[in-house]
Amino acid sequence: MGNIDRPSLRSRILTAIGLDKHSEYVDNYFFDANIKSSIYMSAIVIVLEVWMIIRLTRTVIVERLEDQLPHLFEKYYSNYFILLAAGTAMLIYAVMYITKRTKIKGIGFTLKWLFSFICIYFGIKVSMNDYAKGEQILTFLTMELFVVCLLTWRPVVGFLILTSSYMYFFLQLDIMVAHNTGEQGLTLATQINSFTMWLSTMLFCIANYNKTLSQAVKDERLEKMNSHLSRISVEDELTGIHNMVYFRSEAEKLLKYVTTDKENSVFLFFDIENFKSYNEKYGFHEGNQLLINTANLIADTFPNSLVSRFSDDHFVVLTHDEGCIEAVNKLSARITDMQREVSLQLKCGAYKPTEDETDPSLACDRARFACNSIKKHYETNFASYDKSMEAHFQLKQYIVNSIDNAIANDHIKVFYQPVVSTATGEIVGLEALARWQDPRYGLLPPGAFIEILEEYRQIHKLDICIIDSVCRDYRDATANGRTFVPVSLNFSRLDFELCDIVAELKYRAEKYGVPPAFLDVEITESALTDNQGLLKEAMAKLREAGYSVWLDDFGSGYSSLNVLKDYQFDVLKIDMKFLSGFENNPKTRPIIQNIVNLTKELDIISLTEGVETREQYDFLSSINCGRVQGYLFSKPVPEEELRKLVEEGKLKVSHDFESIQK
Ligand code: C2E
Ligand code: CA
Ligand code: CA
């Protein structure tokens, strides 16, 4: 553990001398760098050679040396022309490569070697002549610097080029000097000077290589990072198809193009019904596999279309509407084929954009709206958005866009519905139920906004606002010496994901001085099927802090009994659907009685909701159902109205809680 892989000695030596393997990117980087350098080199060489040719020709003309032309040609002109030709070829290639007119690297590679070889050869020849005339060997040195330092070579290659050319040059020089003087060759001073030159050139070559290499590696990393970032910015990481951001921007472009056949285009929104249950039953991995398979099927079904995954099990496609219903039906059948013990159904909502439509987000929302309209309609898998949905759709948009405003402007109100004890007939609690008093739409019941706020993950804002109002009502009542009874608050299962709702509750209760006994939390049965860990933890925290936790809508789902086994509750609210058949269905009474008996055994208080008739109340009272709630006593009403009902004597409030009211 903790052992970082260190490169072995062998690989470090190979790296140092430049015999290690480079990635393709680094190889290309070196090639490009060399091609760029060779532009400067060849340009200088061309200018130099042209100048040399002109100079020599002028001398020939001025000094009338025409008869020596063959000799001059052999000794000078031929070299000048060869170098000029090599430089020109190199330059032409480099320019073509940089301007992307050629990609053939083999030519560039050969030219680079040829050009380098010719340069050095030229340097040696000229300097030999110069030295013979008693001049310096500057041309040789310049050419060495040119080739070895302007171009980037792997150190071992640089070493070979440099060493062999130096050795060849100085050997030739040595022979020449020895021949001319008849004595020994180069002096010791020249030998030492040459060695120093060789060494410094070699060091420069290594430094140049390392600098270029590290730059190349850095660039490569950046490039990789960039391409990763740009890929994930347009791609859905799980399924590999496009993501919502890409879809929106491409769809927007398509909607703007005059050439797009909008009339025959359609937005399709897909949702896999029961995906959540599938995920829970088979686990994350299988759930993800299902999403990947679905994404591939959708992409195959709609080739040449814009296909994307928006979130979870939501996919959106922008395609041609011809044959689209048949395609959806086929697709649906294939998704159903993948189902196991959880039944799966692919739902699709379609929206055809209008001629002047430019906002893909709204189009997707409308398609989604159509899709949601057939949720739980098992016989249908396709719905087209139509005019009748528009008013409802507008309201939904309005809700999502206005929740913050509504909270800030006090449009969210708390209505209270009394909870009555069957033993005393007095109010022993109140349920806080949200209402939206909207300036445009009037008084909206929770049915108009709760589900929408949940869908758009905004519900916690509303629930926090209700907690705040209830706590304030408590403070006002206490400050004015009025009796207050415990209030139960409805928490959405999403509250536990979207915020630290327990902390929010504690904070507000402390701020307004509300003792925990005055606040109860209702959690609906259907909330308890997913995210069990998170909820269990939150429930434990609530109980620890002294809040009661109630189970709401008991019997409305399919996991009722399991829920009782797995979680601890103080009050169980029997769903009002049990009372719906009270008058005609003989099974109703024994069922309710059984539930009430069960709660007694589990030491939980039972509360039946939706009590509307005296007969129902009498029955519940006779079987010792502890508490009741319903229109028989009162509908949910604003606090002032409830107070009036109490003052008029229509309802009686229990005084049991006065001793703990601070
Ligand atoms: P719920 O928690 O089951 O609330 C009881 C609903 O039944 C209330 O509807 C109430 O007005 C209605 N009700 C009470 N007695 C009777 C009766 O005798 N007969 C009939 N037919 N209905 C009766 P409401 O106020 O429209 O609330 C509907 C649902 O909205 C609530 O169901 C609750 O799930 C949700 N909700 C309400 N307020 C909030 C809130 O502040 N936060 C959250 N997350 N959900 C809320
Ligand atoms: Ca409730
Ligand atoms: Ca309920």
Side-chain angles (χ1 to χ4, degrees), residues 581-598:
F582 189 80
E583 270 74 35
N584 326 319
N585 192 341
K587 285 188 198 149
T588 307
R589 291 170 202 235
I591 292 177
I592 297 181
Q593 186 161 10
N594 271 324
I595 300 174
V596 170
N597 288 342
L598 178 70

Side-chain angles (χ1 to χ4, degrees), residues 470-484 511-515 518 639 643 658 661-662:
V470 170
C471 291
R472 256 186 293 137
D473 283 348
Y474 172 91
R475 185 203 52 195
D476 294 349
T478 307
N480 292 312
R482 290 197 305 267
T483 305
F484 204 82
K511 180 172 160 195
Y512 295 109
V514 191
F518 280 88
E639 205 220 351
R643 230 186 296 150
E658 277 174 358
Q661 192 174 352
K662 289 183 267 189

Side-chain angles (χ1 to χ4, degrees), residues 431 433 490 522 552 573 609:
E431 177 172 10
L433 292 156
N490 289 286
E522 292 189 18
D552 199 2
K573 293 187 90 171
E609 299 183 89

Side-chain angles (χ1 to χ4, degrees), residues 582 611-621 632-633:
F582 189 80
V611 179
E612 292 181 356
T613 65
R614 192 78 220 171
E615 203 192 348
Q616 291 170 344
Y617 175 70
D618 288 341
F619 167 72
L620 292 165
S621 200
L632 178 64
F633 313 100

Side-chain angles (χ1 to χ4, degrees), residues 492-534:
S492 160
R493 65 170 218 291
L494 290 176
D495 290 340
F496 298 95
E497 281 173 37
L498 298 172
C499 67
D500 186 348
I501 193 76
V502 181
E504 298 285 350
L505 176 67
K506 278 189 188 167
Y507 167 73
R508 284 168 175 76
E510 268 164 37
K511 180 172 160 195
Y512 295 109
V514 191
F518 280 88
L519 297 171
D520 308 315
V521 173
E522 292 189 18
I523 296 172
T524 176
E525 183 192 283
S526 57
L528 302 162
T529 52
D530 47 41
N531 238 331
Q532 311 222 349
L534 195 70

